[in-house]
Amino acid sequence: MDKVKAKLVAAAIWLAALVTGSLFGEEAAPVVKLSVDEAVNYALEHSRTLKSSDIDLELKERASKYSWNVFLPTVQATGTMSRTSEYSPSTKAYAGIFSTLSQGQINMPTDYDKEEDRWSAIGGLSASWNFTPAYIAKIKIAKAQYEAGKVSWEQTQRETITNIKKLYYGLLLQQESLKIQQQTLRNAKERADQAQTNFRNGTVPELSLLQAQVNYENTKPEVDTAEQSLHQQIDLFAFMLGLPVGTQIELTSTIEPVYVEVTTEDLLAKYADNDLQVQSLLKNKRAAELGILASDMATWLPTLALNYSYQPVYIGSEGAWHFYKGIGKDDDWYDSGSFSASLVWNITNMLPWSANRQQVKDYKQQLAQLDLTMATLRENQKVEVRKAVDTLNQARAQIDAMGRSVTLAQRAYDMTARSYRNGSTELLDLRDAENQLNQAKLGQLNQRFNYISALMDLENTLNTDLTSAAAGEGSSADAHATK
């Protein structure tokens, strides 16, 4: 038994060494450095959501591009070998009729000489072409659906870009918050260590030591939770970009908003019609109107139907099984083809309870729904724009106020640092002043995030780029001031 246990222990040690070696032998995954613009560009190229949207747009584009194929004729070619049980003028018998007719005699055979006499070889080539003015309306419907698809594609792109940017800046905030919590944990650890030393020296009671230790132990779970939450958000960010989950990402941008001077009235007057939801509703309304037009045309206007058929029947003396010997010999073939031109009215479509007229009613109800949706969207647009503008103004005021808090915290930290160098302040007091400064900076960053987020929502609602315009005006003003 001892030998068996020894072998098992040795095997376990060998397996652990093997696993440990393989783990330590693996190379660490490279860190991907991304600015906010690089993250957006990567998402536009690799996002699975955008790729699916590209496929949907491609389907609508192809349907629009080849919608004219309704005008293509229907062409069919057939080849038939048929066997009859009763007499029919075919093959040798049919040939015998024509030979006797030339001599003024008619000898209708009543029996077949052989099996081949029962067979006939028939070819066929037919072409039909229909035209109705409703086809023109259907082509326009396909193009209108493609235009609506382009609006939906652009809307998906904008929403994806907005989500990527918001998550990027949100990760920056989480990183700064985690740094503050980690610093707080280190301060709590130093306080607990110092309380332990002071307790040993008899300068503080045991209660003070216990309070410092409890504070430190209570802070550790908060930091662990914050770290886990940050890692989960980074995994989600990588997934949205199209990167493998678990990719290490380093964010290189900072939270620096571009301020804009806007009012609700000016924005609605200039950009209200740019809203992609408004454009999508207009495209869908156009498609419904064309649907009514196509149904009316199909109901009240006739369809022009052209048909042509060419049906050669082999009547040569070689027999039906040897029809190929008659190729190129016009006397061995008989054509029973035809041509026709017709005007066709679908009377059923004219009935008020027919599927065609019911579809027209459906289109009209869709138009009524789209009008209601448009009115609701217009009012909601006013609410969203006003809300975004108010958030911009409030966030900018808070940024200025938090800027003053940062200035005061910086002065307090500088004074504490000088006092620490003079030996009149403890290290923990210096760390506390530093932590207060960091908290003030984080509060200012949070307000900057609120400003950037509200501005992105406003740009997404109005489908316009206010940031670039404001940045351009700022650059022009700076250049003018330099001159």
Side-chain angles (χ1 to χ4, degrees):
M1 292 295 294
D2 294 337
K3 293 182 178 180
V4 174
K5 290 182 179 180
K7 290 181 179 180
L8 291 176
V9 172
I13 295 175
W14 176 81
L15 181 60
L18 180 62
V19 173
T20 305
S22 62
L23 291 176
F24 284 99
E26 293 180 356
E27 295 182 359
V31 178
V32 178
K33 296 183 178 181
L34 292 175
S35 66
V36 63
D37 292 333
E38 290 172 344
V40 168
N41 292 334
Y42 191 91
L44 292 178
E45 294 180 3
H46 301 88
S47 173
R48 298 173 181 86
T49 302
L50 294 182
K51 288 181 179 180
S52 177
S53 180
D54 291 340
I55 294 175
D56 291 337
L57 182 62
E58 184 179 350
L59 292 174
K60 291 183 173 61
E61 181 182 12
R62 189 168 64 252
S64 173
K65 183 178 180 180
Y66 296 105
S67 58
W68 56 267
N69 59 17
V70 294
F71 294 115
L72 291 176
T74 300
V75 180
Q76 292 180 334
T78 60
T80 305
M81 292 291 292
S82 64
R83 182 185 184 279
T84 182
S85 300
E86 300 295 333
Y87 171 77
S88 62
S90 63
T91 61
K92 280 189 174 181
Y94 201 16
I97 293 175
F98 281 91
S99 64
T100 56
L101 283 176
S102 64
Q103 301 174 3
Q105 301 176 357
I106 300 179
N107 296 320
M108 299 296 290
T110 58
D111 298 316
Y112 296 103
D113 294 339
K114 54 184 178 180
E115 176 65 19
E116 188 175 1
D117 295 341
R118 295 177 177 269
W119 290 85
S120 60
I122 304 171
L125 179 66
S126 64
S128 62
W129 182 73
N130 297 334
F131 172 76
T132 172
Y135 286 167
I136 299 176
K138 290 181 178 180
I139 292 175
K140 291 183 178 180
I141 290 175
K143 295 186 179 300
Q145 290 175 343
Y146 172 54
E147 294 297 325
K150 290 197 294 186
V151 174
S152 298
W153 177 84
E154 185 178 355
Q155 190 172 5
T156 302
Q157 287 242 329
R158 272 200 166 272
E159 290 176 354
T160 300
I161 291 174
T162 300
N163 292 335
I164 291 297
K165 287 184 176 180
K166 282 187 176 182
L167 188 52
Y168 187 97
Y169 289 119
L171 288 175
L172 287 176
L173 277 179
Q174 278 190 276
Q175 285 183 346
E176 295 299 324
S177 177
L178 179 59
K179 290 179 181 179
I180 295 299
Q181 290 177 299
Q182 289 172 340
Q183 183 62 50
T184 302
L185 180 62
R186 287 192 292 269
N187 290 342
K189 180 65 169 62
E190 291 184 3
R191 291 190 187 96
D193 293 342
Q194 185 176 2
Q196 180 71 34
T197 301
N198 293 340
F199 175 72
R200 290 175 181 175
N201 296 332
T203 58
V204 296
E206 185 179 5
L207 178 61
S208 298
L209 172 61
L210 294 176
Q211 290 176 341
Q213 291 176 340
V214 168
N215 180 54
Y216 169 66
E217 294 297 334
N218 289 339
T219 305
K220 287 195 295 183
E222 297 177 0
V223 176
D224 293 338
T225 301
E227 289 178 348
Q228 182 181 8
S229 177
L230 179 60
H231 293 157
Q232 291 174 348
Q233 291 299 315
I234 290 178
D235 287 341
L236 175 61
F237 187 60
F239 171 77
M240 293 182 64
L241 292 182
L243 289 168
V245 176
T247 302
Q248 299 184 36
I249 299 176
E250 180 179 343
L251 309 179
T252 59
S253 296
T254 58
I255 306 178
E256 294 295 337
V258 177
Y259 297 116
V260 295
E261 299 293 339
V262 293
T263 62
T264 303
E265 292 73 16
D266 290 343
L267 290 174
L268 291 175
K270 293 180 180 178
Y271 307 112
D273 292 335
N274 288 5
D275 191 340
L276 292 176
Q277 295 186 36
V278 172
Q279 295 182 21
S280 179
L281 287 176
L282 293 175
K283 300 295 184 183
N284 291 330
K285 185 176 181 180
R286 175 59 178 166
E289 293 171 347
L290 290 173
I292 294 176
L293 178 62
S295 298
D296 287 341
M297 287 182 173
T299 300
W300 309 114
L301 297 180
T303 299
L304 174 63
L306 303 178
N307 293 279
Y308 170 76
S309 65
Y310 170 64
Q311 192 174 43
V313 181
Y314 180 69
I315 58 175
S317 60
E318 296 293 337
W321 294 349
H322 300 81
F323 68 90
Y324 55 88
K325 294 182 179 180
I327 296 176
K329 300 177 182 180
D330 294 339
D331 295 339
D332 290 346
W333 296 90
Y334 168 74
D335 177 22
S336 60
S338 64
F339 170 79
S340 65
S342 306
L343 287 177
V344 182
W345 280 268
N346 192 327
I347 304 300
T348 302
N349 284 344
M350 300 180 184
L351 300 176
W353 52 82
S354 66
N356 186 279
R357 303 317 299 166
Q358 292 301 313
Q359 187 177 30
V360 171
K361 292 181 180 180
D362 292 342
Y363 280 130
K364 291 181 178 179
Q365 288 182 325
Q366 289 178 13
L367 286 174
Q369 286 182 328
L370 289 173
D371 289 336
L372 292 174
T373 304
M374 179 66 73
T376 303
L377 180 60
R378 291 290 191 183
E379 293 301 317
N380 184 67
Q381 184 187 61
K382 296 177 182 178
V383 173
E384 293 297 326
V385 172
R386 187 177 301 278
K387 177 182 176 182
V389 172
D390 291 342
T391 302
L392 290 178
N393 294 332
Q394 181 181 13
R396 186 167 185 178
Q398 291 292 329
I399 290 172
D400 294 338
M402 295 303 298
R404 291 189 291 270
S405 297
V406 171
T407 301
L408 294 175
Q410 185 68 54
R411 289 181 58 191
Y413 174 77
D414 293 339
M415 294 174 63
T416 306
R418 287 194 298 268
S419 179
Y420 174 76
R421 288 194 295 268
N422 295 332
S424 58
T425 300
E426 296 292 335
L427 176 61
L428 291 179
D429 294 331
L430 177 62
R431 291 294 180 86
D432 289 338
E434 181 182 15
N435 188 41
Q436 292 177 359
L437 174 61
N438 291 335
Q439 290 284 4
K441 291 180 179 179
L442 184 59
Q444 188 181 44
L445 289 174
N446 188 61
Q447 293 302 323
R448 289 178 179 177
F449 172 79
N450 291 339
Y451 189 95
I452 293 174
S453 180
L455 183 57
M456 286 191 292
D457 289 338
L458 183 61
E459 292 178 334
N460 191 35
T461 299
L462 298 177
N463 188 29
T464 188
D465 191 354
L466 301 172
T467 305
S468 297
E473 292 176 0
S475 300
S476 301
D478 293 340
H480 180 73
T482 303
K483 292 180 181 179

